[in-house]
Amino acid sequence: MALSGVEIFKLLPKTNCKKCGHPTCLAFAMKLAQRQVSLDLCPDVSEEAKQKLGEASAPPIRPVSIGSGDRLIKMGEETVLFRHEKKFINPCAFAVEIKDTQSHEEIESITQEVIDSEIERVGQRLRIDAIFVSNASGDGAKLQEAVNIVLKKAPQVPLIIHTEDPTSAEGAAKIAKDNRPLLFGANEANAEAMAKVAKDLKIPLGVNAKGLEALSALTDKIKSLGVEDMVIDSGARTAKEILADNTCIRRAAIKKGIKALGYPIITFAQRSDAMLETMIASLGVAKYSSIVVLSSVQKWKSLVLFTLRQNIYTDPQVPMQVEQKIYKVGEPGQDAPLMITTNFSLTYFIVTGEIENSKVPARLAVMDSEGLSVLTAWAAGKFTASKIAAFIQESGIENEISNKELIIPGYVAILSGAIEDKLPGWKITVGPREANAIPTFLKTR
Amino acid sequence: MAFALPTETYAGKVYEVTIGTDKTATFGGENVLPFHNFEGTIPHKPLIAYEIQDVPPEDWPETLRKVYEGKSADPVTWAKHCQDDLKAEAIALRLIGTHPDRENRSAEEAAKTVSDVLAAINVPLIILGSNNPDKDSQVLVAASEAAKGRNCIIGKAQESNHKTIVAAAMANNHKLVAMSELDINLSKQLNILITQMGFDKERIITDPMCSALGYGIEYSYSVMERIRLAALTQNDVIMQPPMMGDIGFYVWKVKEAQASESDLPQWGNLEQRAIGWEAATAAALLLSGAELLIMRHPEAVKTINSFIEELI
């Protein structure tokens, strides 16, 4: 369990030497308690204190990563059960399953779909993160062959290799080891041999046991065999089991400090019904899975899941923002209306959605207001006449349009005179207060 | 060391609400977080109501409109189709045609629609206004009277118009949707205002405002989680009404439910994307606490029913 600042203070040298950069040992202890600094900064700390603090300061859910480079998948490190308390940290990864019984062409084509899955949404690049290669054939050679096909086509995509046979595991994991794959398939029967493969190749190990009691006993055992990076599977497959087990695992790790369950969770969502699979995957996203395995890549399904993941993992304290620029809605001609709003992503989405509903092509100037909505930005002095005027002038939009008219949100009607003063030659029109009145407003102009 | 499952018990409980008179439907009543059957009791499944409206769905996107083609020209046929063919357990009639910017139908016309629909169905009816606070305070009063004795849900009462709507629901013995905008304190305040008028808190359904996937669902999700935690862990009785997610209304106007695959090939098949959008929005709100969902596409409803079956 995490120690309080005072408990940590008791373990420090209490010399107030300032070598750590803090005025007192107590100040340093407080920072340690908040996990804002590392204990390494203290040159005089005792070995005993180091060990105690090391255990206590380890995050309740162990950080584990797979893959490398810009496709590295970070998991774990979560600190809360509910997203309003604090941001969920490492967004759940989506993996698609490839079976080694599939043909060469099928494996290549799924791999290509994974490569092509990347889309951009609100400034973030989202994609299917990993490929889960399963040893459906039971033949070690077939597994290696499948891993080879994937590696050749997509050497950068992180792999999860699934087999319960230690010899096959070693063969397949060895060829992928440079990209730090996850080896999945350790259980009560093969724990020693699988742990040895993972330990020798220095890769994380996916561990499966039925139920949380057996699972925690198994992770303890594997840890004692020298493997620390694990991803866990409690055998939950139905929605009910996934919700119950994931919740209890998260609680056990965070609220009870049970280290044996403090590992990222892998969830299997594969279903023959793609719509239901999307729901099970959504459950994984909302309720604590770190990896969700899917049966196929389908663009619509990816968009649904990427969006949900982005929403759930948004920092509740920081509003989402879109880039400052002049967006085109439809295909606006020179005389199309020009509207302005702020760059809070919800504001942007709702306003563009309503302009689209109006079927009137228009330009929407989205001004950087640090992600605040119109009224809040105005109140905070981030959506003022001079800032609006400067943005419109610098955008160079006046060269692209025939009549210099700017439509401002009804909530900032008060600014219209001041903007007209600062933008000579422009007509400022006050638009509706609420976005849902935009269609009527645009259609009746 | 023996492993003890880290279960929790809760001080509070969500109110159980029954609607309808002939065929009734009941939701709420659980004493745990959503679907936490491993540590408490969940006596009822969430209820899904099919949304219909008083005017033909010309404003609905093609993908959705075509599902009801030939069955949605008038609300009575539409309601019977939902009840008899789609096996709806409840129907939500939205009186959108009363909105001043729309057909601007009168309160009397709305009341007649309500009577006609009620005469044609035996499943419970949820009667929703057009979300224009002024007009709703006339329309929902007339609709309430027209539905007297049928134990409906009337909504939505907002802070600005709650007085007349609460009085009408009370006089005609209906349940009431109390809607506030994505803020736990506003939601609590509205429930207090409503109960101060003498309306029984156990007859309220809280609508903390739905948002679609990708369009602020995280706000709805977290407000719902916070309301439910207040109800259960703090035993805050004013926060214990069941919650509603007005899913279809918010989902079917977003771009992802409308843009064609030819315009946005990277978004994939429009029909599945749109159905998936409605279903995923519903799933997220179920997981954060909604017990009553208003939905539109039969395939999305079917998916959510299967999902609920697996969760219970």
Side-chain angles (χ1 to χ4, degrees), chain A residues 82-84 119 121 212-213 216 238-240 243-244 247-248 251-252 255-256 261 271 275-276 279-280 283 286-287 299-300 303-304 307-308 311-312 344 346 349 356, chain B residues 3 6-8 10 34-36 38-39 213-219 221-222 225-226 229 255-256 265-268 272-273 275-277 279-280 287 303 307 310-311:
Chain A
F82 301 100
R83 61 177 295 283
H84 64 263
I119 55 164
R121 195 174 188 286
L212 304 194
E213 182 162 12
S216 57
T238 67
K240 178 179 178 169
L243 179 65
T247 302
C248 288
R251 264 189 205 158
K255 295 177 90 171
K256 309 275 179 200
L261 291 174
R271 295 301 156 100
M275 214 45 89
L276 187 58
M279 297 304 105
I280 306 296
L283 169 65
K287 292 291 167 187
K299 287 177 178 159
W300 65 268
L303 189 70
V304 168
T307 307
L308 183 66
N311 291 165
I312 294 289
F344 177 35
L346 277 185
F349 277 133
E356 273 166 6
Chain B
F3 178 80
T7 53
E8 290 178 0
Y10 303 88
F35 307 102
H36 280 214
F38 57 94
E39 57 191 1
L213 175 63
Y215 296 81
I217 198 175
E218 66 273 27
Y219 294 90
Y221 185 91
S222 283
E225 281 198 331
R226 291 180 63 194
L229 284 166
K255 192 174 178 181
E256 285 80 354
Q266 73 276 24
W267 281 9
Q272 285 172 300
R273 187 199 323 136
I275 294 167
W277 219 259
L287 292 171
T303 299
F307 185 52
E310 248 200 76
L311 278 164

Side-chain angles (χ1 to χ4, degrees), chain B:
Chain B
M1 189 180 75
F3 178 80
L5 206 62
T7 53
E8 290 178 0
T9 50
Y10 303 88
K13 185 178 161 205
V14 178
Y15 300 129
E16 192 172 83
V17 172
T18 299
I19 54 171
T21 47
D22 185 355
K23 273 191 182 168
T24 60
T26 305
F27 52 92
E30 70 273 20
N31 62 356
V32 280
L33 288 172
F35 307 102
H36 280 214
N37 1 39
F38 57 94
E39 57 191 1
T41 25
I42 303 175
H44 307 287
K45 287 192 294 189
L47 176 65
I48 304 176
Y50 270 93
E51 179 177 344
I52 65 168
Q53 55 186 37
D54 58 343
V55 289
E58 275 148 24
D59 52 325
W60 288 14
E62 167 68 19
T63 312
L64 179 62
R65 204 171 55 230
K66 70 178 187 207
V67 177
Y68 294 105
E69 212 163 69
K71 294 163 187 110
S72 54
D74 71 277
V76 170
T77 313
W78 196 354
K80 282 183 74 69
H81 168 63
C82 291
Q83 173 184 283
D84 300 337
D85 304 331
L86 301 175
K87 310 292 173 214
E89 291 174 67
I91 288 168
L93 168 64
R94 194 183 303 275
L95 301 164
I96 194 75
T98 62
H99 196 288
D101 292 349
R102 296 279 307 257
E103 289 80 353
N104 199 17
R105 293 162 66 115
S106 67
E108 292 71 38
E109 287 174 273
K112 172 146 193 338
T113 305
V114 168
S115 303
D116 292 348
V117 168
L118 277 169
I121 60 170
N122 60 3
V123 294
L125 185 69
I126 297 157
I127 303 166
L128 301 170
S130 64
N131 270 10
N132 178 295
D134 291 339
K135 189 69 182 279
D136 277 0
S137 61
Q138 307 162 31
V139 167
L140 292 176
V141 170
S144 266
E145 284 163 10
K148 190 177 177 74
R150 291 294 294 267
N151 191 19
C152 298
I153 300 177
I154 304 289
K156 306 167 178 178
Q158 306 180 41
E159 196 184 330
S160 63
N161 66 4
H162 73 277
K163 285 192 178 145
T164 49
I165 300 172
V166 170
M170 204 153 43
N172 299 292
N173 217 8
H174 296 302
K175 310 295 192 291
L176 179 76
V177 180
M179 187 185 92
S180 49
E181 294 188 354
L182 296 174
D183 183 306
I184 184 171
N185 297 312
L186 291 179
S187 172
K188 182 165 178 170
Q189 185 186 320
L190 180 57
N191 285 3
I192 291 171
L193 289 173
I194 290 169
T195 50
Q196 279 172 348
M197 289 182 65
F199 195 85
D200 183 358
K201 60 185 180 304
E202 302 191 20
R203 301 173 66 86
I204 297 175
I205 291 105
T206 299
D207 177 4
M209 197 164 161
C210 175
S211 328
L213 175 63
Y215 296 81
I217 198 175
E218 66 273 27
Y219 294 90
S220 299
Y221 185 91
S222 283
V223 171
M224 281 195 170
E225 281 198 331
R226 291 180 63 194
I227 290 176
R228 187 49 44 84
L229 284 166
L232 296 178
T233 61
Q234 294 154 33
N235 198 14
D236 183 343
V237 295
I238 204 74
M239 299 264 76
Q240 286 172 348
M243 292 189 282
M244 175 175 116
D246 195 358
I247 309 292
F249 181 74
Y250 288 92
V251 166
W252 288 94
K253 58 183 176 186
V254 310
K255 192 174 178 181
E256 285 80 354
Q258 304 188 39
S260 73
E261 190 175 2
S262 52
D263 285 344
L264 287 161
Q266 73 276 24
W267 281 9
N269 182 282
L270 167 61
E271 189 163 8
Q272 285 172 300
R273 187 199 323 136
I275 294 167
W277 219 259
E278 184 172 23
T281 302
L285 294 195
L286 280 177
L287 292 171
S288 56
E291 283 93 356
L292 171 63
L293 302 175
I294 314 288
M295 296 181 67
R296 289 183 177 174
H297 200 293
E299 286 301 313
V301 173
K302 199 178 109 197
T303 299
I304 288 299
N305 273 325
S306 313
F307 185 52
I308 291 171
E309 281 306 318
E310 248 200 76
L311 278 164
I312 284 290

